Amino acid sequence: MGKKRVLATREERLRLPTTENCSKGVTSAWPDLGPHQSCLAELRDGIVSIGTYPFPGPDALVPGSDGAGVVEALGEGVTEWKVGDRVVTNFTQEHIAGRLTRDVGLTQLGGEAQGLLGEYFIFPKTGVVKIPDYLSLEEASCLPCAALTAWNALYGLTPLRPGQTVLLQGTGGVSTFALQIAHAAGAKTIVTSSSDDKLAKAKYLGATYGINYSKTPDWAAEAMRITNGKGVDHIIEIGGTLTLQASFDAIGFNGQIHCIGHITNPDPLGAGKDLRGPDAAFLALDRLCVVRGVVVGSREQLQDMLECFEANDIRSVIDRVFSFENAREAYNSFLSDFLPLAMESPALAEALIAYSSGHMSHSDPSYTTVSLAARSRALCELSTTISRPDQAASVTESALSASLIPLTSEVCLESHQSWYNHLVGAQHLIASAQRQADGSLVLGARALRLTSEGRWILRNFAYHDIIGSVTLGTKPLLCPDYLGDITHEFDMYLGVASQILVYIGQITCLDLSTTDVEIGIRPSRNYLGIQYKLESWTCPAGTPPTLEAAACAYRGAALIYLYRKMRRQLEADHNFSLACGMSLNTLNDKLQTIVEDTLDSIGQVHENHVSESSLLFPLFIVGGEVERTDQMEFVRARLQVSCNKRRCRNISRALEVLEELWVYRQIQDVLGGNRPDWEYILKSGLEPLLLT
C-alpha cells in the first residue's frame, strides 16, 4: 500500500508518517556509498577549489558547503536559541522562505560566500536550524546541501504524490536522499547505476527498480518499459548536458525534470562551453514537461525536511569522518577521483584504504601496523581481480585504478624504489582492456577511451609514465599517441594542460640515429616541430587564471626540457647547429627567458590552491636551470612549503637533488669544468625520482 501524505497547517509543517517498511540503520547497511560529505556537496566543493565553479565568489575562499555544530554564545536580544543547542546551517543564509533571488543567492556558503571549513563561526539567528534529537552532528552536517536539494526537487514546485514514479540518476548524495524521501512518500523509484552491487544497496534503501546502464545503455527506454509507456513523473537529473536527452526520453507528460548537476560537463563556462545538449525548448513542449533548475532550498524548506526526516527516520549515509586537522589532506587527495569506481571494486576500495592509512601513518605512527595490513589486503585483492577470467571493461578500469594507487603511494610515502613495477603492471592491464562498441570488439587503450573513467585513467597513467620517463632517462612505456583527442578534457592533475603531456612524451622519444647525426636535418626538424607546438599552444578560452598559470608552468618546463636536449646536441654536433639555425649562446638566452617566465607562472599559483600539488615537475625542471640566488631561493621555498604540507618523499628527494646540484654549480663557478646536471646526480645515486 502506498503511504498517505499528511497535509498540515503552516504551524504544524509537513510530515510523512513513519511506516513499517521504512529503512532502518542506513549507515551500517550501506557504509561504502560515499564520502563523509554528500557526493553533490563534495563535487561542488571540489570544483570550487579547482576554479571551475560557474558562479561568482570571493577569491580567498574558505570552502565547505555544509556544517553542524553547537551554539557557544549568543548576541544581545537573541531569544530563539540557547547555549548548547545543536544546530545545522542554512546553505543559503538569507534564503528564509519563498523564491530564491539572485542577490539572496550570493549568500550560499562555500561558493558565493565564505564556507564552513573552520572551528567557530558567527551566524545570524536565522542562519541555522535546530537538529532533531535522533541525528548525530555528523549525520546532520551532510544535510544542508544534498538533502535539501533533493527535498526541494520533489516538494518545491508540484509536490510528489504517492504512487508516482521517480527516476534517480546514480547513487550520489542528492539521488540517495531523494530515494529515501520518495520511498517514504509511497512513490515508486527507479535508480540508474553502472554497478549491480550499488543497485542492490539502493534497493535496501527502498528502490523499486534498478537499471544498470552499463548493461542497458538506453535506460530511458527501459524506464518507459517499466512504466508501461507512460514515462516517469520526476527525474533527478544529475548528469547535465550528456544525459538530458535521455531524461526527456524517459519523462512522462506533465512530468518534472529537476536539473541539479552537470557532472558530464564539469567546466561548462570554460573547457566545456562548446558542448551542446538537446533542443530543450522543443522537447519540453513535445513532452509538456517542466524542466526546472534546483539550487538547494530555503530555511523554511529545511525545517519541513527535518520534520519529515525525523518522522521517517531518514539518515545520512556516511562512509568516513575526517578530523578538522586532516581537512586539507582530504581536499587535496586524489581519492575522490576514484570513489565512483571504488564502490564496485573491492581491490580499489582496499587500495584507497591502504593509501589513506599509509598517509596517516606519516603523521601518526600508530597507524603503521594498520597501513601495512591494508597494503597486504590491497595487493591480494588486486591479484584476485587481475586473475579473474571475466575481465569486463569496468573490472579492468577498477584494476587499473587499484594499480595506480600503490604506485602513487610508493612515490609519495615509501622508499621510492618499487613504484615502476606498478606502472609496468598498469601498462599490461591497458593492453588487455577490451570493450564492445557498435558491434565490434575494441582493444587496448582504445577500449578505455570509450568511457569517462577510462579516459581519466589513461591520462593518470600517462602523467606517471611520461613524467617518470624524464627523470629515468627512458622512453615512456607507451607512446603518448593513445592520448589522442582526450587531452581537451579537464584533468585533476594537469587541469587544462594535458596536451603538454603529449609534447613531453614526444621529447623523451627524440632519438638520433647515426644517419640523422650525419645530415643534421631530420633531428632538427623534430626538435623545432615540437618547439613550435609548445610555443603555439594556448589555454582554452575562459580558463581560470590559476589553472592557466599552472598550465603555463608546465609548458615552460616542457620547453626547458626540450632546450636541454637541444643544448646537448648543439654541444656535440656542429651540423645540428647549422640545421636548426641556432647557436649555443642563442639557445641559452632563450632558455633563461623561459626560466623567468616559468618561475613567474609558478608564482601565480597560490600555495594553498589545489593546482599547487601538481607543480613538482615544473619546479624541479626550472630549478635545474636557475642561475641566480633569488631564483634558487624561490624554488627552494616553494618545494619546502609543499614538502611540509604533504610530507611526500618524492618532494623531499627532488629538493635534495637540486640542493646538491646548486652546490656543484657554486664549485664550478670557482674551479671551472663541465656544467653539473641533475641527470648525473640521479644516475650516480641509489634512489630514483618520480616528479608526480
Side-chain angles (χ1 to χ4, degrees):
M1 293 178 60
K3 306 176 192 65
K4 294 182 179 179
R5 180 180 172 83
V6 179
L7 296 178
T9 64
R10 170 65 62 190
E11 290 72 27
E12 293 173 330
R13 307 257 176 231
L14 186 64
R15 297 177 185 270
L16 294 174
T18 305
T19 59
E20 66 279 3
N21 61 345
C22 185
S23 300
K24 303 283 185 180
V26 172
T27 301
S28 60
W30 198 349
D32 60 343
L33 177 65
H36 167 51
Q37 291 181 302
S38 66
C39 290
L40 181 67
E42 180 163 357
L43 175 62
R44 177 182 185 268
D45 292 340
I47 62 177
V48 165
S49 69
I50 62 177
T52 61
Y53 188 56
F55 303 107
D59 292 331
L61 176 72
V62 177
S65 302
D66 311 58
V70 178
V71 175
E72 294 281 348
L74 300 171
E76 183 179 355
V78 176
T79 59
E80 293 87 343
W81 302 105
K82 63 181 184 296
V83 173
D85 281 345
R86 301 185 322 136
V87 295
V88 63
T89 55
N90 184 28
F91 176 82
T92 307
Q93 283 286 285
E94 295 182 13
H95 191 192
I96 307 304
R99 294 183 176 181
L100 179 67
T101 65
R102 184 173 297 276
D103 289 342
V104 169
L106 296 178
T107 64
Q108 293 178 351
L109 298 173
E112 289 72 15
Q114 297 294 356
L116 297 170
L117 193 58
E119 296 179 277
Y120 294 93
F121 291 92
I122 298 175
F123 291 102
K125 62 182 181 181
T126 56
V128 293
V129 170
K130 182 176 174 56
I131 298 173
D133 292 339
Y134 84 104
L135 288 174
S136 68
L137 285 175
E138 289 82 3
E139 289 171 325
S141 70
C142 300
L143 301 178
C145 185
L148 186 54
T149 299
W151 178 265
N152 189 1
L154 297 178
Y155 287 101
L157 187 62
T158 303
L160 174 67
R161 300 193 306 273
Q164 289 189 319
T165 303
V166 181
L167 186 144
L168 308 116
Q169 291 182 2
T171 53
V174 175
S175 291
T176 299
F177 279 119
L179 167 61
Q180 296 179 83
I181 293 168
H183 175 66
K188 300 174 184 177
T189 50
I190 303 172
V191 177
T192 67
S193 173
S194 62
S195 164
D196 288 335
D197 184 51
K198 287 197 283 186
L199 290 174
K201 293 170 182 176
K203 288 190 176 182
Y204 180 89
L205 288 181
T208 315
Y209 305 97
I211 301 175
N212 187 324
Y213 58 77
S214 66
K215 299 178 180 178
T216 309
D218 192 353
W219 52 265
E222 180 64 11
M224 292 297 286
R225 186 195 66 78
I226 290 172
T227 58
N228 297 316
K230 293 174 57 179
V232 302
D233 300 289
H234 293 264
I235 294 179
I236 302 299
E237 168 57 66
I238 303 296
T241 309
L242 301 184
T243 58
L244 189 56
Q245 178 65 60
S247 290
F248 275 115
D249 293 340
I251 198 69
F253 272 66
N254 300 304
Q256 298 180 49
I257 300 176
H258 308 285
C259 295
I260 292 165
H262 51 92
I263 61 175
T264 62
N265 187 11
D267 191 11
L269 300 184
K273 64 183 178 63
D274 295 325
L275 194 61
R276 293 289 179 260
D279 185 344
F282 169 76
L283 291 171
L285 181 63
D286 182 58
R287 306 297 194 275
L288 294 180
C289 65
V290 174
V291 181
R292 175 178 177 242
V294 180
V295 182
V296 197
S298 67
R299 184 178 191 268
E300 184 176 87
Q301 288 175 310
L302 179 59
Q303 291 173 314
D304 289 344
M305 182 197 77
L306 288 173
E307 292 191 5
C308 167
F309 277 28
E310 184 174 22
N312 292 274
D313 195 26
I314 295 176
R315 298 174 181 268
S316 305
V317 180
I318 298 176
D319 173 59
R320 70 188 66 181
V321 178
F322 289 96
S323 68
F324 180 77
E325 291 74 18
N326 290 330
R328 186 186 302 278
E329 174 188 332
Y331 259 82
N332 288 339
S333 172
F334 65 89
L335 300 185
S336 59
D337 296 301
F338 290 104
L339 281 172
L341 287 171
M343 296 306 100
E344 55 196 82
S345 168
L348 183 51
E350 291 291 354
L352 290 173
I353 294 170
Y355 177 88
S356 179
S357 58
H359 207 84
M360 294 172 71
S361 69
H362 270 242
S363 56
D364 186 348
S366 66
Y367 282 95
T368 301
T369 302
V370 174
S371 172
L372 291 173
R375 177 183 173 84
S376 176
R377 290 196 306 271
L379 292 175
C380 288
E381 284 289 352
L382 178 58
S383 176
T384 301
T385 299
I386 293 174
S387 61
R388 283 174 53 181
D390 57 328
Q391 286 297 324
S394 59
V395 174
T396 302
E397 290 172 354
S398 299
L400 265 167
S401 301
S403 297
L404 292 171
I405 290 172
L407 182 156
T408 305
S409 182
E410 291 281 358
V411 169
C412 297
L413 308 176
E414 307 298 334
S415 62
H416 209 183
Q417 293 285 354
S418 57
W419 60 266
Y420 197 74
N421 295 331
H422 298 294
L423 192 66
V424 173
Q427 174 200 10
H428 291 304
L429 285 170
I430 291 174
S432 67
Q434 52 183 281
R435 183 183 290 271
Q436 288 287 338
D438 298 327
S440 60
L441 186 63
V442 181
L443 303 175
R446 291 178 57 230
L448 293 168
R449 286 161 55 95
L450 296 175
T451 67
S452 59
E453 294 90 350
R455 293 192 295 273
W456 187 88
I457 289 168
L458 285 176
R459 289 193 300 271
N460 184 285
F461 173 85
Y463 178 63
H464 293 294
D465 185 27
I466 293 173
I467 299 300
S469 68
V470 173
T471 46
L472 287 177
T474 62
K475 294 181 180 180
L477 291 173
L478 293 179
C479 177
D481 292 347
Y482 64 90
L483 290 174
D485 59 354
I486 68 173
T487 58
H488 68 281
E489 298 177 356
F490 178 83
D491 184 82
M492 288 298 292
Y493 278 101
L494 292 176
V496 296
S498 294
Q499 181 62 36
I500 303 298
L501 267 186
V502 177
Y503 300 144
I504 296 173
Q506 291 172 351
I507 296 170
T508 63
C509 292
L510 288 173
D511 192 15
L512 302 180
S513 67
T514 304
T515 304
D516 290 335
V517 173
E518 289 175 355
I519 63 176
I521 296 177
R522 184 176 174 184
S524 65
R525 186 182 305 155
N526 293 339
Y527 281 90
L528 294 177
I530 297 174
Q531 177 187 345
Y532 175 78
K533 292 176 183 177
L534 283 168
E535 291 177 343
S536 303
W537 183 87
T538 58
C539 285
T543 299
T546 301
L547 289 182
E548 183 173 2
C552 289
Y554 262 86
R555 181 181 62 176
L559 280 167
I560 292 171
Y561 179 46
L562 176 67
Y563 289 159
R564 283 170 51 86
K565 288 211 166 198
M566 292 178 68
R567 180 173 60 198
R568 191 169 300 150
Q569 297 306 319
L570 286 169
E571 291 171 343
D573 178 34
H574 178 66
N575 287 331
F576 185 84
S577 176
L578 294 175
C580 69
M582 187 184 306
S583 68
L584 185 59
N585 288 336
T586 301
L587 178 66
N588 285 331
D589 290 342
K590 288 173 68 71
L591 197 152
Q592 286 306 309
T593 299
I594 294 298
V595 165
E596 286 282 1
D597 292 343
T598 305
L599 290 172
D600 181 64
S601 296
I602 293 172
Q604 295 176 45
V605 180
H606 192 274
E607 292 173 356
N608 290 325
H609 194 276
V610 67
S611 295
E612 186 273 337
S613 62
S614 66
L615 291 182
L616 179 57
F617 174 73
L619 272 169
F620 182 83
I621 295 298
V622 75
E625 299 300 327
V626 295
E627 294 184 343
R628 301 197 313 265
T629 302
D630 63 308
Q631 294 174 332
M632 296 178 194
E633 285 298 330
F634 174 83
V635 173
R636 179 184 291 117
R638 288 301 293 256
L639 285 174
Q640 285 176 337
V641 167
S642 184
C643 190
N644 292 338
K645 186 162 56 176
R646 282 187 290 280
R647 303 181 184 180
C648 294
R649 175 55 189 155
N650 59 332
I651 302 175
S652 60
R653 173 66 175 146
L655 184 55
E656 290 170 3
V657 172
L658 289 178
E659 294 285 10
E660 187 175 350
L661 173 65
W662 294 336
V663 170
Y664 283 152
R665 292 267 174 87
Q666 291 175 340
I667 296 174
Q668 182 215 21
D669 290 342
V670 176
L671 301 180
N674 294 330
R675 176 184 174 86
D677 192 90
W678 54 260
E679 290 187 37
Y680 171 78
I681 295 174
L682 286 176
K683 288 178 181 178
S684 60
L686 298 177
E687 188 176 358
L689 175 63
L690 183 61
L691 300 170
T692 59

